[in-house]
Amino acid sequence: MEIALQAISKAYDGVDRPAVSKVSASIASGEFFFLLGPSGCGKTTLLRLVAGLIRPTSGGIAFDGEDVTELPVDQRGTALVFQGYALWPHMTVLENVEFGPRMSGASRDARRRVAMEQLERVQMAEFAQRKPNQLSGGQQQRVALARALAAGTRCLLFDEPLSNLDARLRLHMRDELKTLVKETGVTAIYVTHDQKEALSMADRVAVMNDGEIVQLGTPEEVYSQPATRFVADFLGEANFLGGAVAASGDAVRVTTTAGEIMVSSRTAPDVGSKVQCCVRPEHVRIRAADEGPDPSLENALEATIVSSVYLGDVRQYVCRLGDGADGEWRVAELSQNAHRFEPGQPVLATFAASSVAVLRT
Ligand code: ADP
Ligand code: MG
């Protein structure tokens, strides 16, 4: 099922500032779509609007082109999959999954057939006679999905489903849940404030701030080409350098006080406009100053090493750009291939034109 959010807004009673403000997006059928942003940015509100648990103040929602804005929650075919999966402990797996079809009056044979079909879809048919407490967390999650699908769910909604799990289990469940959702082929929306969760699981991510979607794209796009400083910072560590656009078009050049930067940008900013260039720490390679620039990387800024910390997998450097007025950059090099630079050493911070994002300021 395809979902269209059409300039949807929600202001809670007695609160001036809308929790969700004119959000538009279209979610493709079968897509695993993520809403990512800090606490309070409106993710849960947007999910509840899609579910039909609350009504928008303005704007609308369409499912497969049909306006569902006024459709009550029980007629939308959406299911919020909560943290504890909420299986009934006294019922078997099969009875849990049969519950939806039973409520809608399906005959005994029909509901058994639907339930077994969905249990097979999530590879849990052989556990049909077990009780939920005889299953692992991952298996319970599968049954919960089978139950939602048997009840006619056309869209799965997840609100931070892994946030109560310990770190190791959370990592494992990420993979498991992603595989499972993609196997069902059902459209799914997943809310999280955890950028790693979003980047590792999503087909596309909508990054939210203050009730708005500030950027929408694939994990690679939002991480390596953030549109704003907020997105750059929220998704990971980022280095910045301000400058002015000296040439635009296919090859963008930005003049900064630390030197000129070449950018292979998909958007061509106006010549003369002030911009921020953003480069991720792992996209920078340090070279000794006397080695000269790396011919395979378009950019080389003069810098001085401030500190060097060994972290096992990576070595992390802080270096001061230019004469020091341009701030400090963090650089992460895989420790196995990094040869070691010492504080005070003059170096070149080198990076590809394709690894620079030009941010709106
Ligand atoms: P998130 O899920 O991203 O943490 P929420 O959608 O829960 O954000 O909340 C967005 C904003 O709306 C917050 O400022 C929150 O305090 C406010 N809010 C959420 N629910 C209600 C409510 N029932 N009444 C009034 N304000 C609310
Ligand atoms: Mg929330």
Side-chain angles (χ1 to χ4, degrees):
M1 180 179 78
E2 190 183 296
I3 300 174
L5 306 176
Q6 299 150 336
I8 193 165
S9 297
K10 173 69 188 179
Y12 287 105
D13 288 344
V15 185
D16 285 346
R17 200 187 173 79
V20 166
S21 182
K22 297 206 184 97
V23 165
S24 293
S26 49
I27 301 167
S29 187
E31 185 169 14
F32 201 5
F33 189 87
F34 274 60
L35 299 172
L36 171 69
S39 176
C41 73
K43 305 179 296 294
T44 294
T45 301
L46 191 50
L47 203 67
R48 290 165 59 83
L49 285 164
V50 175
L53 291 165
I54 50 176
R55 289 282 119 82
T57 314
S58 62
I61 303 179
F63 289 170
D64 282 337
E66 179 202 342
D67 188 345
V68 296
T69 317
E70 297 303 324
L71 207 61
V73 58
D74 55 338
Q75 289 169 37
R76 283 205 188 185
T78 58
L80 264 166
V81 185
F82 285 104
Q83 279 165 7
Y85 319 126
L87 297 173
W88 285 287
H90 59 286
M91 293 186 190
T92 63
V93 163
L94 183 63
E95 286 162 349
N96 264 283
V97 179
E98 277 185 341
F99 189 80
R102 194 169 87 207
M103 287 292 109
S104 48
S107 71
R108 191 188 163 82
D109 283 353
R111 68 190 194 232
R112 182 129 311 180
R113 195 179 61 244
V114 169
M116 287 310 293
E117 242 171 56
Q118 296 306 337
L119 282 170
E120 270 157 30
R121 195 168 172 186
V122 299
Q123 290 154 35
M124 287 297 293
E126 62 187 289
F127 299 95
Q129 296 310 325
R130 295 240 191 132
K131 292 279 177 63
N133 66 2
Q134 297 170 304
L135 302 176
S136 72
Q139 291 171 330
Q140 289 183 40
Q141 196 163 43
R142 287 177 171 264
V143 175
L145 287 200
R147 189 177 60 178
L149 296 171
T153 295
R154 298 191 294 164
C155 167
L156 297 168
L157 306 173
F158 298 91
D159 195 347
E160 315 236 11
L162 307 183
S163 61
N164 283 350
L165 305 180
D166 70 55
R168 251 191 51 205
L169 187 56
R170 196 157 63 222
L171 276 183
H172 172 74
M173 294 294 256
R174 268 186 205 166
D175 292 345
E176 169 119 5
L177 192 54
K178 177 181 180 178
T179 310
L180 184 55
V181 168
K182 293 309 287 183
E183 271 171 17
T184 67
V186 173
T187 310
I189 306 180
Y190 188 116
V191 160
T192 182
H193 67 276
D194 181 328
Q195 83 277 13
K196 292 249 165 69
E197 211 166 279
L199 293 175
S200 63
M201 296 171 77
D203 289 325
R204 282 190 308 156
V205 182
V207 184
M208 291 184 69
N209 191 26
D210 281 343
E212 295 177 358
I213 293 181
V214 283
Q215 190 173 3
L216 204 170
T218 63
E220 290 83 355
E221 282 164 356
V222 293
Y223 181 78
S224 65
Q225 293 292 321
T228 68
R229 181 142 188 164
F230 170 81
V231 176
D233 281 329
F234 193 75
L235 290 183
E237 282 213 61
N239 297 304
F240 300 98
L241 187 59
V245 177
S248 195
D250 285 345
V252 176
R253 280 186 291 123
V254 178
T255 306
T256 79
T257 47
E260 193 167 84
I261 294 180
M262 300 277 297
V263 182
S264 47
S265 174
R266 269 162 292 174
T267 55
D270 294 336
V271 171
S273 57
K274 286 201 159 44
V275 292
Q276 285 280 334
C277 295
C278 168
V279 185
R280 297 285 181 197
E282 69 277 16
H283 292 152
V284 182
R285 289 284 147 273
I286 300 281
R287 285 165 72 87
D290 55 20
E291 245 184 312
D294 177 342
S296 70
L297 298 174
E298 292 87 349
N299 295 301
L301 300 177
E302 288 178 9
T304 310
I305 298 290
V306 174
S307 67
S308 153
V309 180
Y310 177 69
L311 293 173
D313 53 347
V314 296
R315 180 173 287 281
Q316 198 172 70
Y317 295 104
V318 174
C319 63
R320 197 160 39 230
L321 293 186
D323 59 11
D326 301 301
E328 291 180 343
W329 275 22
R330 287 178 177 278
V331 179
E333 301 232 23
L334 285 177
S335 45
Q336 71 183 48
N337 33 2
H339 81 263
R340 198 168 147 178
F341 301 98
E342 300 299 335
Q345 192 174 345
V347 293
L348 291 172
T350 65
F351 47 98
S354 60
S355 66
V356 186
V358 174
L359 309 186
R360 303 191 291 266
T361 53

